[in-house]
Amino acid sequence: MKIVILWTDAMIFLLLAVAIASAWYIRKRPHLMLPWQRVAKSAAGMVSLLLLSLFLLVGLLDSLHYRAALPEKSNGQTVYSPEVLSAFDALAGGLRSRTEKTYSAPLAAYLYAKESIETPDGKTSRGYPRLKYGGAHLADPERELAGDVVKRTGLGALVGVVVVVGILLLAVTIRSFRRRPESSEIYIPHSGQGRGVVPLREAGSMGWIPAFTKMTANKPFRALLIATLIIAALIGATANLASAYHVLGTDKVGQDVLYLSLKSIRTGLVIGTVTTLVMLPFALLLGVAAGYFRGWVDDVIQYIYTVLSSIPSVLLIAAAVLMMQVVIEMHADWFETAAARADVRLLCLCLILGVTSWTGLCRLLRGETLKLREMEYIQAAQAFGVSSFRILTRHIAPNVMHIVLISVVMDFSALVLAEAVLSYVGVGVDPTTISFGTMINAARLLMGRDPMVWWALASAFGFMLVLVLAANLFADAVRDAFDPRLSRA
């Protein structure tokens, strides 16, 4: 196995490292922890954060790439497959490898369209052929399919709930024992008998119930617990069904639509996060500089983002993507694999989106900096001869970071939707890259065929809806916690 690090992989793990370092830094400072504690008190914010964490986990697993070693060797050297796989592909190997001939409906045991079938007596008739993998364990699908689906759904959901409940009870028990005294005996009151000596083991067995009751009395925790149980039941049921069926059907070439939907998550996360990494330096530096220095610096920066905003964004992005595509096609020898070429196009799309989408945040930061510049502590620092660089880094930048954080979280969903629109019109990611946009683009013509193939479009729409809705709800919670006007209200 040969480890492969794509450009977007490096960007994702760089952002992850920055997020971990920021969390460690914030955790040590109570005044920075206070807004995040307000976020933790929001039931909708915590549930949406749980959903975003699951999407992030899938995206991170899909960012660990490698090339498998082939059995044969060349001149004693190991030869690697040209196909670049990921850790998610290894975990979801069954979904990836079990391809059918063509379309099949969700949880079906037959193909979706009639074909010529040779009967046992040698005659040919028109009918629906059996799937190679979906429902292959059923002897009589017409009679056994419904019962088997119900059975597998219930069993998988039960296993998922039991696993979550077991982990929760273990965590509560460990937490309750950590709070016990180190002595082997403790005093607790007995009804009608005053105080008595009770062994620690017995006290510990009595302690986790009050601890669990206290935790469930917390509204955000209760909402998070209910959401976790529901999600665990859905994941368990889906995993159990996916071992024997195509839960969301198959596409034109027989690929599992559930696998394609899960693979699309990484593309959406890359567009939303890497574009933010590109956009922030432009917006932060230019917005703060325009508001603080004013004069000709402000005029030049305003002219730049006014001109950039006046150009239709779709046309500007399309022109840049087409020019980038020509360069990539003319220098195909730059890339060792097709995945590397597709990844460079995805990275270039993030760069283009970042360069063209910083104007809104820049305006907000300019206005906030203009207000901060007139504050007494800024004027006092200027009177004492403090350098402009130190004022910008120590006084201005920390006081505009709440606007940056709110805008970044709220722009994430807009960027995910932008990728879907651009890929739909043909100027988005590489056609070989699995994304919500490419799935919608491939499914748009299927809505007009007879019989209509609806599940590919519905799956892409459903996953994208959940991702964008979770991001929007979390953005609302972050805005409510970090906006000073809302926090005072």
Side-chain angles (χ1 to χ4, degrees), residues 141-185:
E142 294 182 358
R143 184 172 55 87
E144 302 174 1
L145 179 62
D148 187 65
V149 168
V150 173
K151 179 182 177 181
R152 287 178 176 272
T153 301
L155 182 60
L158 179 62
V159 171
V161 171
V162 168
V163 170
V164 170
V165 171
I167 295 175
L168 178 64
L169 292 179
L170 180 62
V172 172
T173 304
I174 294 175
R175 182 178 179 182
S176 64
F177 270 102
R178 282 183 177 178
R179 295 186 176 183
R180 300 293 179 200
E182 296 182 357
S183 173
S184 60
E185 296 180 338

Coordinates of all heavy atoms in Angstrom, one line a residue, residues 141-185:
P141 N -38.4 -13.6 -3.8 CA -38.5 -12.2 -3.4 C -39.9 -11.7 -3.3 O -40.1 -10.9 -2.4 CB -37.7 -11.5 -4.4 CG -36.8 -12.6 -5.0 CD -37.6 -13.8 -5.0
E142 N -40.8 -12.0 -4.1 CA -42.1 -11.5 -4.1 C -42.8 -11.8 -2.8 O -43.7 -11.0 -2.3 CB -42.9 -12.0 -5.3 CG -42.4 -11.5 -6.7 CD -43.2 -12.0 -7.8 OE1 -44.2 -12.7 -7.5 OE2 -42.9 -11.7 -9.0
R143 N -42.5 -12.9 -2.2 CA -43.2 -13.3 -1.0 C -42.4 -13.0 0.2 O -42.9 -12.7 1.3 CB -43.5 -14.8 -1.1 CG -44.2 -15.4 0.1 CD -44.6 -16.8 -0.1 NE -43.5 -17.7 -0.4 CZ -42.7 -18.3 0.5 NH1 -43.0 -18.1 1.8 NH2 -41.7 -19.0 0.1
E144 N -41.0 -13.0 0.2 CA -40.2 -12.9 1.3 C -39.6 -11.5 1.5 O -39.1 -11.2 2.6 CB -39.0 -13.9 1.2 CG -39.5 -15.3 1.1 CD -38.3 -16.3 0.9 OE1 -37.1 -15.8 0.8 OE2 -38.5 -17.5 0.7
L145 N -39.6 -10.6 0.5 CA -38.9 -9.4 0.5 C -39.4 -8.4 1.6 O -38.6 -8.0 2.4 CB -39.0 -8.6 -0.8 CG -38.3 -7.3 -0.9 CD1 -36.8 -7.4 -0.8 CD2 -38.7 -6.6 -2.3
A146 N -40.7 -8.2 1.7 CA -41.2 -7.3 2.7 C -40.9 -7.7 4.1 O -40.4 -6.9 5.0 CB -42.7 -7.1 2.6
G147 N -41.1 -9.0 4.4 CA -40.8 -9.5 5.8 C -39.3 -9.4 6.1 O -38.9 -9.0 7.3
D148 N -38.5 -9.7 5.1 CA -37.0 -9.6 5.4 C -36.5 -8.2 5.6 O -35.7 -7.9 6.5 CB -36.3 -10.3 4.2 CG -34.8 -10.4 4.5 OD1 -34.4 -11.2 5.4 OD2 -34.0 -9.7 3.8
V149 N -37.1 -7.2 4.9 CA -36.7 -5.8 5.1 C -37.1 -5.3 6.4 O -36.4 -4.7 7.1 CB -37.4 -5.0 4.0 CG1 -37.2 -3.5 4.3 CG2 -36.7 -5.3 2.6
V150 N -38.4 -5.7 6.9 CA -38.8 -5.3 8.2 C -38.0 -5.9 9.3 O -37.6 -5.2 10.3 CB -40.3 -5.6 8.4 CG1 -40.7 -5.4 9.8 CG2 -41.2 -4.9 7.4
K151 N -37.6 -7.2 9.1 CA -36.8 -7.9 10.1 C -35.4 -7.2 10.2 O -34.9 -7.0 11.3 CB -36.7 -9.3 9.8 CG -35.9 -10.2 10.7 CD -35.8 -11.6 10.3 CE -34.9 -12.4 11.2 NZ -34.8 -13.8 10.7
R152 N -34.8 -7.0 9.1 CA -33.4 -6.4 9.1 C -33.5 -5.0 9.6 O -32.5 -4.6 10.3 CB -32.8 -6.5 7.7 CG -32.4 -7.9 7.3 CD -31.9 -7.9 5.8 NE -31.4 -9.2 5.5 CZ -30.2 -9.7 5.7 NH1 -29.3 -8.9 6.3 NH2 -29.8 -10.9 5.3
T153 N -34.5 -4.2 9.3 CA -34.6 -2.9 9.8 C -34.7 -2.8 11.3 O -34.0 -2.1 12.0 CB -35.8 -2.2 9.1 OG1 -35.6 -2.2 7.7 CG2 -35.9 -0.7 9.6
G154 N -35.6 -3.7 11.8 CA -35.8 -3.7 13.3 C -34.6 -4.2 14.0 O -34.2 -3.6 15.1
L155 N -33.9 -5.2 13.5 CA -32.7 -5.8 14.2 C -31.6 -4.8 14.2 O -30.9 -4.5 15.2 CB -32.3 -7.1 13.5 CG -31.1 -7.8 14.1 CD1 -31.4 -8.1 15.6 CD2 -30.8 -9.0 13.3
G156 N -31.4 -4.1 13.0 CA -30.3 -3.1 12.9 C -30.5 -1.9 13.8 O -29.6 -1.4 14.4
A157 N -31.8 -1.4 13.8 CA -32.1 -0.3 14.7 C -31.9 -0.7 16.1 O -31.4 0.1 16.9 CB -33.5 0.2 14.4
L158 N -32.3 -1.9 16.5 CA -32.2 -2.3 17.9 C -30.7 -2.4 18.3 O -30.3 -1.9 19.4 CB -32.8 -3.7 18.1 CG -32.8 -4.3 19.5 CD1 -33.5 -3.3 20.5 CD2 -33.4 -5.7 19.5
V159 N -29.9 -2.9 17.4 CA -28.4 -3.0 17.7 C -27.8 -1.6 17.9 O -27.0 -1.4 18.8 CB -27.7 -3.8 16.6 CG1 -26.2 -3.7 16.8 CG2 -28.2 -5.3 16.6
G160 N -28.2 -0.7 17.0 CA -27.7 0.7 17.1 C -28.0 1.3 18.4 O -27.2 2.0 19.0
V161 N -29.3 1.2 18.8 CA -29.8 1.8 20.1 C -29.1 1.2 21.2 O -28.6 1.9 22.2 CB -31.3 1.7 20.2 CG1 -31.7 2.1 21.6 CG2 -32.0 2.6 19.1
V162 N -28.9 -0.2 21.2 CA -28.3 -0.9 22.3 C -26.8 -0.4 22.5 O -26.3 -0.2 23.6 CB -28.4 -2.4 22.2 CG1 -27.5 -3.1 23.1 CG2 -29.8 -2.9 22.3
V163 N -26.1 -0.3 21.4 CA -24.7 0.1 21.4 C -24.6 1.5 22.1 O -23.8 1.8 22.9 CB -24.1 0.1 20.0 CG1 -22.7 0.8 20.0 CG2 -24.0 -1.3 19.5
V164 N -25.5 2.5 21.6 CA -25.4 3.8 22.2 C -25.8 3.8 23.7 O -25.1 4.5 24.5 CB -26.4 4.7 21.4 CG1 -26.5 6.1 22.1 CG2 -25.9 4.9 20.0
V165 N -26.8 3.1 24.0 CA -27.2 3.0 25.4 C -26.1 2.4 26.3 O -25.8 2.9 27.4 CB -28.5 2.3 25.6 CG1 -28.8 2.0 27.1 CG2 -29.7 3.0 25.0
G166 N -25.5 1.4 25.8 CA -24.3 0.8 26.5 C -23.2 1.7 26.7 O -22.6 1.8 27.8
I167 N -22.8 2.5 25.7 CA -21.7 3.4 25.8 C -22.1 4.5 26.8 O -21.3 5.0 27.6 CB -21.4 4.0 24.4 CG1 -20.8 2.9 23.5 CG2 -20.4 5.2 24.5 CD1 -20.6 3.4 22.1
L168 N -23.4 5.0 26.7 CA -23.8 6.0 27.6 C -23.8 5.6 29.1 O -23.3 6.3 29.9 CB -25.2 6.5 27.2 CG -25.8 7.6 28.1 CD1 -25.0 8.9 28.0 CD2 -27.3 7.8 27.7
L169 N -24.3 4.4 29.3 CA -24.3 3.9 30.7 C -22.9 3.7 31.2 O -22.6 4.0 32.4 CB -25.0 2.6 30.8 CG -26.6 2.7 30.6 CD1 -27.2 1.3 30.6 CD2 -27.2 3.6 31.6
L170 N -22.0 3.2 30.4 CA -20.6 3.1 30.8 C -19.9 4.4 31.1 O -19.2 4.6 32.1 CB -19.8 2.4 29.6 CG -18.3 2.2 29.9 CD1 -18.1 1.3 31.1 CD2 -17.6 1.6 28.6
A171 N -20.2 5.4 30.3 CA -19.7 6.8 30.5 C -20.2 7.4 31.8 O -19.5 8.0 32.6 CB -20.0 7.7 29.3
V172 N -21.5 7.2 32.1 CA -22.1 7.7 33.3 C -21.6 7.0 34.5 O -21.3 7.6 35.6 CB -23.7 7.6 33.2 CG1 -24.3 8.0 34.6 CG2 -24.2 8.5 32.1
T173 N -21.4 5.7 34.4 CA -20.9 4.9 35.5 C -19.5 5.3 35.9 O -19.1 5.5 37.0 CB -20.9 3.4 35.2 OG1 -22.3 3.0 34.9 CG2 -20.5 2.6 36.4
I174 N -18.6 5.5 34.8 CA -17.3 5.9 35.1 C -17.2 7.3 35.7 O -16.5 7.6 36.6 CB -16.5 5.9 33.8 CG1 -16.3 4.4 33.3 CG2 -15.1 6.6 33.9 CD1 -15.7 4.3 31.9
R175 N -18.1 8.2 35.2 CA -18.1 9.5 35.8 C -18.6 9.5 37.2 O -18.0 10.3 38.0 CB -19.1 10.4 34.9 CG -19.1 11.8 35.4 CD -20.1 12.6 34.4 NE -20.2 14.0 34.9 CZ -20.9 14.9 34.3 NH1 -21.6 14.6 33.2 NH2 -21.0 16.2 34.7
S176 N -19.6 8.7 37.6 CA -20.1 8.7 38.9 C -19.0 8.1 39.9 O -18.8 8.6 41.0 CB -21.4 7.9 39.0 OG -21.1 6.5 38.7
F177 N -18.3 7.1 39.5 CA -17.2 6.5 40.3 C -16.0 7.4 40.5 O -15.4 7.4 41.5 CB -16.8 5.2 39.7 CG -17.6 4.0 40.2 CD1 -18.5 3.4 39.4 CD2 -17.3 3.5 41.5 CE1 -19.3 2.4 39.9 CE2 -18.1 2.4 41.9 CZ -19.0 1.8 41.1
R178 N -15.8 8.3 39.5 CA -14.7 9.2 39.6 C -14.9 10.2 40.7 O -14.0 10.8 41.3 CB -14.4 9.9 38.3 CG -13.6 9.1 37.3 CD -13.4 9.9 36.0 NE -12.6 9.1 35.1 CZ -12.3 9.5 33.9 NH1 -12.6 10.7 33.5 NH2 -11.5 8.8 33.1
R179 N -16.2 10.5 41.0 CA -16.6 11.5 42.0 C -16.7 10.9 43.4 O -17.0 11.6 44.3 CB -17.9 12.1 41.6 CG -17.7 13.0 40.3 CD -19.0 13.7 40.0 NE -18.8 14.6 38.8 CZ -19.8 15.4 38.4 NH1 -20.9 15.5 39.0 NH2 -19.6 16.1 37.3
R180 N -16.5 9.6 43.5 CA -16.6 8.9 44.8 C -15.3 9.1 45.6 O -14.2 9.3 45.1 CB -16.8 7.4 44.7 CG -18.0 7.0 43.9 CD -19.2 7.4 44.7 NE -20.4 7.1 43.9 CZ -21.6 7.6 44.1 NH1 -21.8 8.5 45.1 NH2 -22.6 7.3 43.4
P181 N -15.4 9.1 47.0 CA -14.2 9.2 47.8 C -13.3 8.0 47.6 O -13.8 6.9 47.2 CB -14.7 9.3 49.2 CG -16.2 9.1 49.2 CD -16.6 9.1 47.8
E182 N -12.0 8.1 47.9 CA -11.1 7.0 47.7 C -11.3 6.0 48.8 O -10.8 4.8 48.7 CB -9.7 7.6 47.8 CG -9.4 8.5 46.6 CD -8.0 8.9 46.6 OE1 -7.2 8.6 47.6 OE2 -7.5 9.7 45.7
S183 N -11.9 6.3 49.9 CA -12.1 5.3 51.0 C -13.0 4.1 50.5 O -13.8 4.3 49.6 CB -12.7 5.9 52.2 OG -13.1 5.0 53.2
S184 N -12.8 3.0 51.1 CA -13.6 1.8 50.7 C -15.0 1.9 51.3 O -15.9 1.1 50.9 CB -12.9 0.5 51.1 OG -12.8 0.5 52.6
E185 N -15.2 2.8 52.2 CA -16.6 2.9 52.8 C -16.9 4.4 52.9 O -16.1 5.3 53.1 CB -16.6 2.3 54.2 CG -16.3 0.8 54.3 CD -16.4 0.4 55.7 OE1 -16.2 1.2 56.7 OE2 -16.6 -0.9 55.9

